[in-house]
Amino acid sequence: MIGGLFIYNHKGEVLISRVYRDDIGRNAVDAFRVNVIHARQQVRSPVTNIARTSFFHVKRSNIWLAAVTKQNVNAAMVFEFLYKMCDVMTAYFGKISEENIKNNFVLIYELLDEILDFGYPQNSETGALKTFITQQGIKSQHHTKEEQSQITSQVTGQIGWRREGIKYRRNELFLDVLESVNLLMSPQGQVLSAHVSGRVVMKSYLSGMPECKFGMNDKIVIDKQGKGGTADDAGKSELGGSGKQSIAIDDCTFHQCVRLSKFDSERSISFIPPDGEYELMRYRTTKDIILPFRVIPLVREVGRTKLEVKVVIKSNFKPSLLAQKIEVRIPTPLNTSGVQVICMKGKAKYKASENAIVWKIKRMAGMKESQISAEIELLPTNDKKKWARPPISMNFEVPFAPSGLKVRYLKVFEPKLNYSDHDVIKWVRYIGRSGIYETRC
Amino acid sequence: MPAVSKGDGMRGLAVFISDIRNCKSKEAEIKRINKELANIRSKFKGDKALDGYSKKKYVCKLLFIFLLGHDIDFGHMEAVNLLSSNKYTEKQIGYLFISVLVNSNSELIRLINNAIKNDLASRNPTFMCLALHCIANVGSREMAEAFASEIPRILVAGDTMDSVKQSAALCLLRLYKTSPDLVLMGEWTSRVVHLLNDQHMGVVTAAISLITCLSQKNPEEFKTCVSLAVSRLSRIVSSASTDLQDYTYYFVPAPWLSCKLLRLLQCYPPPEDGAVKGRLVECLETILNKAQEPPKSKKVQHSNAKNAILFEAIALIIHYDSEPNLLVRACNQLGQFLQHRETNLRYLALESMCTLASSEFSHEAVKTHIETVISALKTERDVSVRQRAADLLYAMCDRSNAKQIVAEMLSYLETADYSIREEMVLKVAILAEKYAVDYSWYVDTILNLIRIAGDYVSEEVWYRVIQIVINRDDVQGYAAKTVFEALQAPACHENMVKVGGYILGEFGNLIAGDPRSSPLIQFNLLHSKFHLCSVPTRALLLSTYIKFINLFPETKSTIQEVLRCDSQIRNSDVELQQRAVEYLKLSSIASTDVLATVLEEMPPFPERESSILAKLKKKKGPGAVSGSELEEGKRDGGELNGGAERGIDAAATIASNASTPSPSADLLGLRSGAPAGTAAPSASSLLVDVFSEAAPAAPSAVAEENFLSSAPNSCSFGAEECSPPLPESDELLNKFVCKNNGVLFENQLLQIGVKSEYRQNLGRMYLFYGNKTSVQFLNFSTAVTCPGELQSQLNVQTKPAEPVVEGGAQVQQVLNIECLSDFSEAPLLNIKFRYGGALQNITLKLPITINKFFQPTEMSSQDFFQRWKQLSLPQQEAQKIFKAKNAMDAEVLKAKLLGLGTALLENVDPNPENFVCAGVIQTKAKQVGCLLRLEPNAQAQMYRLTLRSSKDTVSKRLCELLAEQF
């Protein structure tokens, strides 16, 4: 169990320190600073063990969050908690920065009291937390005794993530499929590794206690339906747009509101959603990934003092779609003394501080091609070490899911209130972003 | 040094550094550095030539980046360019970069060396200094090669500036330290000595460091420096503090120079010239007088400087050890420091006093401070100071104050720091033994020691107390009584149980008359501790029980009962089980007189150097215990070690050794033949009898073989079957003259390893036959023959090796060797086996040479030459002059001569290049004393080897053997 939680700024000064258990002393605060933040080499492991005390840390911009324990805890649980903690803080006061933390430290202590009890994680659902931890202070005249007693029953009850009696004039929900696609490609264009990690994020503004059912083109479900003979023709025609019918999901996790027993038996995703924004599920796929861009590098060494680089990028999706925020990063040797760049589209610049040429294109349609060529001058050096040729990396954003995931339906049932599935306004959006998208050169 | 002018401020560098300092994270810092590096690269690459200022600035930035821990792989060329600049600051930065970043890049080194040469040749003193500093800072072998001949010239040249001379002296010192072989002594050495007379104090200070280092290697060539140093010292000491202006440090004239002078003088014996000596004594007296004067300043630097000189002076006085007056005065001075506020001073005082205590002139004076030292031991807060106090107590101890000191140390031991406990225990044990007037006091002390600090009492300590008790009749009864009383404590240390078990087993009968310590009570007391002890102690106690059966027949049934119970006779530990079984059988079968013979009282131990002393020496490192102590250890060691284990094993566990050959069994085998053991050999033959009756299945043959004295098992082999020895066997033999272990022979099939040990005229050799193939050797047999008259000179016994050697396996064969008289041939070893059907026949010479039976003899220079003259008959001497086969390295020669088995005598021969050794060859018939002298001639690469011994054949043979070694 977590013994304590510390938040440091980039200098290693403690901003927040909350100790939950007696086995964690004050010196633990210094131990982490000395051994991790101020370590000579950069500490890459997120878990550090110092004098039989384990430190789990995550870093958000310049802020370090460290959970400390002397016990043999489940590391995945601790990290899940830390991520959750970050989400909660973001939901309360926006970006996690030193200033924001300093301005909200009373709130953070309040939150820490609530979401961790003697080191055991408690309800960390933002929606639920917001009902009793508020930034303005509790307006007691409006909160009746009943409402306050409701808080207790809700927090300890079966559906801790949603309170009763929510009412909206317009029942609306937003569904975002956010994916990041990771790739490592050989210079010859062979895919060495590729996977997509995606999230389904939902923002719901629904009245009452609605029961929702979510359907997507998961291969197992589609195959089952096909075999069962009860082929849903309408569903199929919906999918008709893309080339493939179903996708194979390697693994997925759900928000706690999803009834796992039902998923296990019927593979249907049904749940009572929390109010507001939350992450419904996370998943990962590795098969049949649509790679939005292809990078073709050409590096030629001309003598000892010159290097010629030519990079072609090709977009590989429907011409009607537009990719955005494209950025190609071409690493340069460490002894670069000068760079000349010519590119057909966008802007390219040699950034000495990052040892790379950065080429930015604002927009690019599908099935297009663009090219950059650069001449790099080198300074002869003493040691004969060869340049390691780090891969060319790329960033972009595309309006479709590279995994091929499609939302088939999201049905809402609220038996007690008088609105039906058809009355709910639903919005679906797909965003594919680049994760680590690299091509060797 | 020229001041940095305003224009050289290098604003860009300052901005860059402050940027780096302001970076918020490591990543930001790396980004900034990358940017700067790219900028510098583009600047260096740029077409237009950079001016000196910007070059300097960029090189400086690179240096800063390097010092931050980043790799720099360019800019060397620019730095080298800076060297040829005429501006001081540019040159300085260039040299700085090179001395920090240069690696042995051949191309650049040449350019750098060129630049340095130019600067050395210039008449500009600052440039010369820069160049010299660079050479010294790099200090690589390449630098030494290029400049080792140049620098001495600069150092002694008449027109060199003082500051350059200073740098040159220190630079030469550095080169000499890194590659002494390249700095050749020449005519400049004598002129270096005369730098001591230089007008400039800085030059003298620098030169004296060089001279001290050089004179340690070549004391002869620098002998003249003594008188010069003395006169310089007297001039400084007698000068008023204002005379030396720049070199007066807080009212102390030239403290560093004085310390260095005093240290230089410590490299030499006292000056023989009366006038010089008088002057020196005067100086030392002045220094001691000055220490008494009231301080001229309250500043700590003043007293530090003064004390530094004083302690060096005292060190010199102790080194000379010939001026009683000065020694006593030094001692009194140190006595004052013992109570000084300053902890460091107290530490130094205690440390110096330790060395003073060993001088006969000041020993008494040191003793007067005993109370202070004892209180220091008790009250000092710093453990290192307490440690020194303990050292000093140990050093100042003699017969008159031994009781007091030992008592104090014992009482301190209870609270002593863990880190020094073991050493304290050893010291108490040694002092108690060395100055014991009556041995009951000694026994009391050691038992107390075990009681107080049992965990820190090493084996040697309790072995020793047992040896002493056994060798002294008068103390045995008292020891038994005391031990008995000590054992009655509810919790006593295991070491106490060991001592108790051993002593009661031997001398329990002496106190059995008292009804309070009747045999049965004794036994019950010991047995009550039995279950709490470790296996070795239990084994010892079992031996004690069997001895009880002999001493007190009335306890026999009780003890047999104990031995018979399952926890003994079926113990999971082999040793315990075996002892229990054998003792039980022994007690039930053997008649009382057999028992009495087998379990006779242990014979007195042979006298040898105290092993405790050896252990203390090992702990402290060589040289920490002075030679005088060693001598005393020998004189006083009226009763000595050999391991009490030996006694126990010899008397009682012969049988167990026989069936499980362990390292201790081997030792025993060797010793049982030695004249010391009287009980063991007589017992062993009896024991074999007992065994053949009691346990017919027991491998009695094996038992016999382990005791060559009782069952000689000589091998006879047909000599005609043997092939002639291999042609290379002579060479193989030579390999083993100076060493005892190694690979004797190797071919594609077989590898033979040798391990041997020799004691007096006996030896034991282990031969390891390793089958290198994957196929087994059949009909494997080995034979040792002594050709010709060797048969009457050497007795080699062995048992046959196993007939089959599996592929990849190794078999071991043991050879017992006895030297009857001196010999010159080597015995032959014949090995025969079938490998894949073909018969292999190999004959080798066994590496047994006469020198293996050397006993080293230590003697003084006087003794040596007296004996050398006594052996002056022409046939007693053998001499050979031969060419060196290997490089003439003194350390290698030393190692070889030690490997020969003789004692290497230091400081005997007037010429330190020569080696002198002495030893006695032990044969059964007689002992032959041998003296050896080896004179290397480095120029001609020749040696002259001279051997003198009381027997002409020995001289000749040794001379032949040794001539092949160097």
Side-chain angles (χ1 to χ4, degrees):
Chain A
M1 296 310 104
I2 296 169
L5 200 131
F6 308 125
I7 301 180
Y8 301 84
N9 68 3
H10 73 276
K11 288 184 201 147
E13 289 162 352
V14 190
L15 304 177
I16 300 285
S17 151
R18 179 74 173 85
V19 176
Y20 293 96
R21 289 182 174 236
D22 291 340
D23 55 356
I24 301 299
R26 292 275 153 201
N27 51 358
V29 184
D30 299 323
F32 182 77
R33 177 181 39 238
V34 171
N35 289 293
V36 180
I37 301 181
H38 290 167
R40 242 161 226 279
Q41 294 94 6
Q42 206 161 1
V43 175
R44 303 184 67 185
S45 159
V47 184
T48 319
N49 202 294
I50 306 159
R52 292 204 219 139
T53 310
S54 305
F55 294 82
F56 305 78
H57 75 262
V58 296
K59 215 180 157 193
R60 286 285 179 274
S61 63
N62 271 332
I63 299 297
W64 301 72
L65 274 91
V68 191
T69 183
K70 282 213 161 177
Q71 281 162 315
N72 186 14
V73 297
N74 180 348
M77 185 275 283
V78 175
F79 282 110
E80 187 62 41
F81 171 78
L82 286 174
Y83 293 145
K84 203 80 206 180
M85 171 84 200
C86 292
D87 290 347
V88 170
M89 287 199 292
T90 320
Y92 267 91
F93 51 77
K95 195 174 168 271
I96 298 176
S97 66
E98 185 173 350
E99 206 187 338
N100 274 345
I101 287 176
K102 279 182 177 165
N103 290 338
N104 289 292
F105 81 96
V106 178
L107 172 75
I108 294 172
Y109 277 116
E110 231 179 306
L111 285 172
L112 283 175
D113 277 344
E114 194 54 48
I115 59 178
L116 266 184
D117 188 4
F118 195 45
Y120 292 96
Q122 306 294 311
N123 190 350
S124 55
E125 202 52 56
T126 320
L129 285 171
K130 276 194 171 166
T131 60
F132 50 89
I133 299 177
T134 59
Q135 275 157 297
Q136 278 79 36
I138 293 172
K139 297 173 213 139
S140 56
Q141 60 268 45
H142 294 291
H143 279 256
T144 57
K145 273 221 165 111
E146 282 158 51
E147 267 185 66
Q148 278 182 8
S149 65
Q150 229 182 347
I151 290 176
T152 328
S153 69
Q154 186 219 328
V155 169
T156 53
Q158 208 180 4
I159 305 167
W161 56 89
R162 190 179 180 95
R163 70 192 162 90
E164 284 190 55
I166 300 170
K167 259 211 157 81
Y168 288 102
R169 240 153 41 96
R170 231 155 74 117
N171 289 305
E172 206 171 4
L173 67 83
F174 301 86
L175 204 61
D176 284 349
V177 178
L178 306 172
E179 294 195 336
S180 77
V181 53
N182 300 285
L183 167 79
L184 182 64
M185 193 178 250
S186 79
Q188 288 76 34
Q190 198 180 359
V191 175
L192 300 173
S193 85
H195 74 271
V196 170
S197 57
R199 301 153 63 208
V200 179
V201 176
M202 194 169 158
K203 218 183 245 176
S204 70
Y205 303 104
L206 300 170
S207 312
M209 292 294 251
E211 173 84 36
C212 299
K213 215 171 164 189
F214 174 69
M216 55 179 181
N217 58 340
D218 180 6
K219 198 172 183 192
I220 299 172
V221 181
I222 300 284
D223 286 357
K224 212 161 136 192
Q225 284 170 353
K227 241 184 251 165
T230 58
D232 192 334
D233 283 355
K236 271 204 172 166
S237 63
E238 240 174 72
L239 287 167
S242 84
K244 59 183 177 142
Q245 309 256 313
S246 57
I247 59 160
I249 287 176
D250 285 26
D251 47 57
C252 58
T253 54
F254 293 104
H255 188 266
Q256 58 169 335
C257 65
V258 175
R259 294 196 184 86
L260 292 178
S261 55
K262 233 169 180 180
F263 179 75
D264 287 341
S265 56
E266 303 165 29
R267 267 200 102 82
S268 75
I269 304 165
S270 70
F271 52 96
I272 297 173
D275 198 40
E277 188 175 343
Y278 70 101
E279 186 184 283
L280 177 64
M281 75 178 281
R282 263 186 245 171
Y283 59 90
R284 202 169 65 88
T285 69
T286 50
K287 284 203 191 74
D288 300 325
I289 292 165
I290 309 157
L291 295 173
F293 284 97
R294 167 91 206 273
V295 177
I296 304 156
L298 204 83
V299 179
R300 205 158 66 91
E301 280 174 52
V302 189
R304 271 190 70 197
T305 59
K306 210 165 162 190
L307 199 68
E308 279 180 8
V309 181
K310 206 169 109 181
V311 177
V312 179
I313 58 167
K314 281 182 181 170
S315 56
N316 181 31
F317 45 89
K318 273 194 274 181
S320 58
L321 297 174
L322 272 181
Q324 283 183 311
K325 297 178 193 167
I326 300 153
E327 187 185 291
V328 183
R329 179 176 294 263
I330 305 160
T332 54
L334 294 173
N335 55 346
T336 304
S337 64
V339 178
Q340 268 92 49
V341 232
I342 309 158
C343 58
M344 307 194 318
K345 223 179 154 194
K347 281 179 190 160
K349 205 178 164 189
Y350 167 58
K351 286 207 171 166
S353 59
E354 288 153 51
N355 281 320
I357 298 167
V358 179
W359 177 26
K360 284 181 177 165
I361 304 170
K362 280 206 178 107
R363 252 177 243 93
M364 190 171 178
M367 303 317 255
K368 286 265 168 62
E369 192 178 302
S370 191
Q371 181 183 323
I372 184 175
S373 56
E375 253 185 45
I376 300 171
E377 275 180 79
L378 303 176
L379 188 76
T381 58
N382 291 330
D383 45 353
K384 305 283 177 280
K385 253 188 293 171
K386 258 199 107 178
W387 181 42
R389 288 201 181 190
I392 294 171
S393 61
M394 202 178 165
N395 289 315
F396 53 81
E397 204 177 290
V398 288
F400 62 91
S403 66
L405 181 124
K406 286 270 173 343
V407 178
R408 286 171 58 215
Y409 55 83
L410 182 79
K411 293 173 189 157
V412 181
F413 311 97
E414 171 53 47
K416 285 184 195 153
L417 295 175
N418 55 348
Y419 71 91
S420 70
D421 187 34
H422 301 290
D423 301 331
V424 180
I425 306 159
K426 299 171 193 166
W427 304 87
V428 181
R429 175 167 70 159
Y430 299 93
I431 301 175
R433 291 203 181 95
S434 57
I436 297 167
Y437 201 86
E438 291 179 336
T439 309
R440 289 186 180 159
C441 61
Chain B
M1 236 178 246
V4 179
S5 66
K6 276 229 168 104
D8 288 335
M10 293 195 284
R11 221 183 96 73
L13 178 67
V15 168
F16 173 60
I17 292 174
S18 76
D19 276 2
I20 295 272
R21 296 245 164 96
N22 290 334
C23 280
K24 292 219 161 175
S25 63
K26 206 158 231 169
E27 294 76 32
E29 184 184 309
I30 290 169
K31 272 192 177 167
R32 181 71 185 90
I33 286 169
N34 278 338
K35 195 177 149 199
E36 194 60 46
L37 283 175
N39 175 35
I40 298 172
R41 280 194 301 261
S42 68
K43 284 283 177 350
F44 283 174
K45 178 78 180 181
D47 298 326
K48 63 173 192 286
L50 291 171
D51 59 349
Y53 168 76
S54 23
K55 235 185 241 172
K56 176 182 77 175
K57 186 175 74 185
Y58 294 129
V59 167
C60 232
K61 281 182 182 175
L62 286 179
L63 194 55
F64 181 74
I65 293 170
F66 178 77
L67 294 177
L68 281 178
H70 300 264
D71 274 344
I72 295 296
D73 51 7
F74 64 98
H76 298 77
M77 204 55 221
E78 282 71 18
V80 173
N81 283 342
L82 281 178
L83 295 187
S84 51
S85 160
N86 272 326
K87 277 199 185 132
Y88 170 77
T89 48
E90 287 166 21
K91 216 183 244 301
Q92 183 201 21
I93 295 295
Y95 273 124
L96 188 59
F97 185 89
I98 281 160
S99 39
V100 174
L101 261 132
V102 87
N103 44 14
S104 34
N105 183 318
S106 61
E107 193 179 340
L108 275 179
I109 280 283
R110 209 167 43 76
L111 288 171
I112 294 166
N113 284 354
N114 232 349
I116 292 176
K117 261 196 194 118
N118 285 339
D119 278 341
L120 287 182
S122 78
R123 311 302 304 159
N124 187 332
T126 38
F127 289 179
M128 289 174 86
C129 279
L130 277 180
L132 287 168
H133 294 172
C134 179
I135 297 170
N137 280 332
V138 175
S140 64
R141 214 174 154 78
E142 289 80 15
M143 285 284 178
E145 271 164 8
F147 300 107
S149 55
E150 178 86 3
I151 294 165
R153 213 176 41 70
I154 295 173
L155 180 60
V156 297
D159 53 350
T160 315
M161 298 277 288
D162 287 336
S163 58
V164 179
K165 271 191 191 166
Q166 258 172 292
S167 300
L170 293 175
C171 180
L172 190 59
L173 174 63
R174 160 76 199 223
L175 291 186
Y176 184 75
K177 277 182 180 164
T178 47
S179 24
D181 52 321
L182 290 176
V183 181
L184 298 170
M185 301 291 144
E187 80 282 4
W188 55 272
T189 45
S190 61
R191 298 181 65 180
V192 166
V193 174
H194 282 96
L195 285 178
L196 286 177
N197 273 337
D198 200 282
Q199 293 292 314
H200 193 267
M201 293 288 267
V203 175
V204 184
T205 316
I208 199 160
S209 297
L210 177 66
I211 294 169
T212 310
C213 181
L214 290 173
S215 63
Q216 272 159 358
K217 288 275 162 65
N218 317 291
E220 282 305 308
E221 286 184 57
F222 288 89
K223 223 169 187 169
T224 46
C225 71
V226 174
S227 60
L228 288 175
V230 170
S231 66
R232 189 90 219 187
L233 183 67
S234 82
R235 261 181 284 158
I236 295 170
V237 170
S238 58
S239 73
S241 59
T242 46
D243 289 359
L244 298 162
Q245 279 158 8
D246 282 356
Y247 287 85
T248 304
Y249 178 81
Y250 288 88
F251 306 106
V252 183
W256 281 277
L257 182 54
S258 318
C259 284
K260 284 181 175 179
L261 283 167
L262 288 165
R263 219 170 272 172
L264 174 64
L265 289 173
Q266 283 172 47
C267 302
Y268 289 96
E272 281 141 18
D273 183 353
V276 176
K277 189 167 184 183
R279 214 163 161 199
L280 180 57
V281 169
E282 207 174 292
C283 279
L284 293 172
E285 268 168 357
T286 319
I287 293 172
L288 287 173
N289 287 339
K290 274 192 181 171
Q292 296 294 343
E293 286 169 18
K296 288 187 182 129
S297 158
K298 286 227 167 85
K299 290 257 171 57
V300 66
Q301 289 95 331
H302 172 70
S303 57
N304 277 352
K306 228 166 89 174
N307 290 335
I309 301 178
L310 179 64
F311 275 107
E312 276 310 329
I314 290 174
L316 183 65
I317 292 169
I318 296 168
H319 171 73
Y320 284 164
D321 198 13
S322 58
E323 299 288 329
N325 177 28
L326 283 177
L327 281 164
V328 171
R329 279 195 66 184
C331 183
N332 292 340
Q333 185 60 49
L334 290 176
Q336 285 178 16
F337 283 144
L338 282 183
Q339 280 155 327
H340 202 276
R341 278 185 297 120
E342 195 72 23
T343 313
N344 289 338
L345 268 185
R346 292 198 301 271
Y347 179 95
L348 288 170
L350 287 168
E351 198 184 28
S352 305
M353 258 203 187
C354 241
T355 39
L356 268 180
S358 54
S359 163
E360 53 179 315
F361 300 114
S362 53
H363 188 80
E364 288 303 319
V366 172
K367 269 166 65 183
T368 56
H369 299 290
I370 184 164
E371 293 303 332
T372 326
V373 180
I374 287 171
S375 80
L377 184 66
K378 284 176 177 163
T379 56
E380 276 296 347
R381 280 158 74 195
D382 190 322
V383 63
S384 58
V385 183
R386 291 201 297 271
Q387 158 109 53
R388 288 286 92 78
D391 284 350
L392 179 54
L393 275 183
Y394 176 71
M396 67 163 63
C397 188
D398 64 11
R399 225 167 266 287
S400 64
N401 56 12
K403 275 202 177 166
Q404 185 193 2
I405 286 178
V406 168
E408 288 295 346
M409 282 173 100
L410 262 181
S411 71
Y412 171 62
L413 199 55
E414 287 186 68
T415 53
D417 216 75
Y418 292 105
S419 53
I420 60 172
R421 272 198 186 179
E422 189 178 352
E423 207 186 309
M424 290 278 294
V425 166
L426 284 175
K427 282 181 170 156
V428 171
I430 292 169
L431 291 179
E433 178 191 332
K434 207 156 127 185
Y435 300 116
V437 187
D438 67 291
Y439 280 90
S440 53
W441 174 74
Y442 170 74
V443 171
D444 278 344
T445 307
I446 298 293
L447 290 183
N448 249 337
L449 194 64
I450 295 175
R451 196 172 49 73
I452 293 168
D455 283 337
Y456 298 91
V457 174
S458 56
E459 300 276 282
E460 285 83 358
V461 173
W462 76 264
Y463 286 176
R464 199 81 186 99
V465 69
I466 282 171
Q467 287 162 22
I468 287 176
V469 169
I470 287 185
N471 289 10
R472 302 259 153 188
D473 301 339
D474 46 338
V475 79
Q476 287 163 354
Y478 179 78
K481 190 163 149 280
T482 329
V483 164
F484 180 75
E485 278 161 8
L487 280 178
Q488 275 169 329
C492 55
H493 194 269
E494 191 163 336
N495 280 337
M496 183 72 90
V497 179
K498 286 182 184 164
V499 176
Y502 198 96
I503 289 184
L504 290 183
E506 294 292 333
F507 310 114
N509 53 339
L510 299 178
I511 55 167
D514 191 327
R516 282 169 299 173
S517 54
S518 71
L520 216 55
I521 293 177
Q522 281 185 36
F523 171 74
N524 285 336
L525 182 63
L526 278 179
H527 198 59
S528 69
K529 314 280 183 204
F530 185 88
H531 301 281
L532 302 170
C533 294
S534 62
V535 169
T537 313
R538 287 191 195 190
L540 187 150
L541 283 180
L542 286 179
S543 301
T544 305
Y545 296 168
I546 187 78
K547 289 217 156 196
F548 269 7
I549 293 184
N550 178 38
L551 289 178
F552 318 116
E554 67 266 36
T555 60
K556 186 172 176 176
S557 58
T558 325
I559 290 173
Q560 278 182 339
E561 197 61 41
V562 168
L563 291 174
R564 200 174 290 127
C565 78
D566 277 356
S567 66
Q568 307 299 356
I569 213 158
R570 298 201 180 144
N571 197 301
S572 60
D573 187 89
V574 182
E575 179 70 30
L576 290 184
Q577 193 187 64
Q578 188 162 10
R579 285 195 190 209
V581 171
E582 284 167 4
Y583 293 162
L584 191 58
K585 276 286 173 219
L586 186 66
S587 64
S588 51
I589 289 171
S591 65
T592 39
D593 33 326
V594 170
L595 261 184
T597 327
V598 172
L599 304 170
E600 202 179 11
E601 192 177 299
M602 291 305 296
F605 285 85
E607 305 203 348
R608 227 176 288 160
E609 190 202 341
S610 167
S611 60
I612 309 181
L613 209 59
K615 172 142 182 167
L616 185 68
K617 265 186 276 174
K618 202 164 73 193
K619 209 171 149 55
K620 286 228 156 177
V625 178
S626 63
S628 63
E629 260 176 319
L630 242 168
E631 290 286 335
E632 279 179 72
K634 274 189 181 152
R635 234 186 301 123
D636 287 81
E639 44 290 290
L640 291 139
N641 160 36
E645 275 301 322
R646 180 183 87 83
I648 296 160
D649 280 340
T653 63
I654 293 159
S656 64
N657 286 333
S659 50
T660 52
S662 59
S664 68
D666 291 336
L667 271 173
L668 176 69
L670 267 180
R671 282 187 185 156
S672 60
T678 51
S682 61
S684 63
S685 56
L686 277 165
L687 205 69
V688 174
D689 288 347
V690 170
F691 256 81
S692 52
E693 285 167 32
S700 58
V702 182
E704 278 175 32
E705 272 150 19
N706 255 23
F707 297 95
L708 57 129
S709 52
S710 60
N713 191 6
S714 55
C715 311
S716 55
F717 292 95
E720 68 278 7
E721 286 170 33
C722 301
S723 63
L726 291 175
E728 69 264 31
S729 61
D730 264 322
E731 213 176 295
L732 294 169
L733 187 68
N734 280 326
K735 239 172 54 178
F736 282 87
V737 170
C738 292
K739 59 177 188 176
N740 285 338
N741 306 330
V743 175
L744 177 62
F745 172 78
E746 184 163 26
N747 65 10
Q748 293 90 335
L749 308 176
L750 181 73
Q751 184 189 42
I752 306 177
V754 172
K755 232 176 121 172
S756 47
E757 47 189 8
Y758 295 89
R759 201 148 300 159
Q760 297 184 334
N761 67 328
L762 297 173
R764 170 164 290 203
M765 180 178 282
Y766 297 86
L767 291 170
F768 300 91
Y769 302 98
N771 184 347
K772 287 170 72 178
T773 67
S774 50
V775 186
Q776 57 176 207
F777 293 159
L778 295 171
N779 299 353
F780 189 85
S781 72
T782 65
V784 178
T785 47
C786 296
E789 58 175 0
L790 191 59
Q791 223 153 7
S792 60
Q793 292 162 343
L794 199 66
N795 187 2
V796 181
Q797 293 164 342
T798 182
K799 57 175 175 172
E802 280 158 34
V804 176
V805 186
E806 293 296 337
Q810 196 182 55
V811 296
Q812 181 191 339
Q813 190 179 28
V814 186
L815 266 56
N816 290 314
I817 305 146
E818 192 183 7
C819 178
L820 303 172
S821 71
D822 65 290
F823 61 96
S824 48
E825 285 301 308
L828 299 178
L829 172 72
N830 180 254
I831 303 145
K832 273 183 277 193
F833 58 91
R834 272 183 194 284
Y835 169 73
L839 182 73
Q840 307 285 331
N841 191 347
I842 301 165
T843 303
L844 299 166
K845 285 191 177 171
L846 271 180
I848 303 171
T849 45
I850 184 72
N851 65 297
K852 299 289 182 200
F853 302 96
F854 256 130
Q855 286 283 100
T857 321
E858 291 284 358
M859 55 178 80
S860 69
S861 175
Q862 209 182 346
D863 287 352
F864 180 85
F865 283 106
Q866 195 181 346
R867 287 187 204 180
W868 184 261
K869 281 185 196 113
Q870 281 167 3
L871 299 169
S872 58
L873 292 175
Q875 67 265 31
Q876 284 172 332
E877 185 188 82
Q879 193 173 63
K880 226 174 195 178
I881 298 168
F882 55 91
K883 213 159 174 63
K885 287 182 186 153
N886 307 315
M888 294 174 109
D889 186 336
E891 288 313 311
V892 174
L893 284 179
K894 264 187 204 168
K896 279 195 171 162
L897 288 170
L898 283 174
L900 189 67
T902 53
L904 187 61
L905 304 178
E906 307 268 9
N907 304 327
V908 166
D909 201 297
N911 182 354
E913 299 292 330
N914 293 350
F915 295 95
V916 167
C917 303
V920 177
I921 288 179
Q922 307 267 359
T923 68
K924 198 178 179 188
K926 62 188 220 167
Q927 302 187 335
V928 185
C930 268
L931 300 176
L932 180 155
R933 196 168 177 198
L934 180 69
E935 295 155 276
N937 181 344
Q939 266 90 45
Q941 291 288 309
M942 300 280 278
Y943 289 103
R944 185 165 73 185
L945 173 72
T946 317
L947 267 150
R948 290 189 180 180
S949 73
S950 46
K951 202 155 177 203
D952 51 350
T953 47
V954 173
S955 301
K956 243 175 78 190
R957 177 61 183 157
L958 278 174
C959 198
E960 277 166 25
L961 282 174
L962 275 175
E964 300 300 314
Q965 295 303 315
F966 302 109

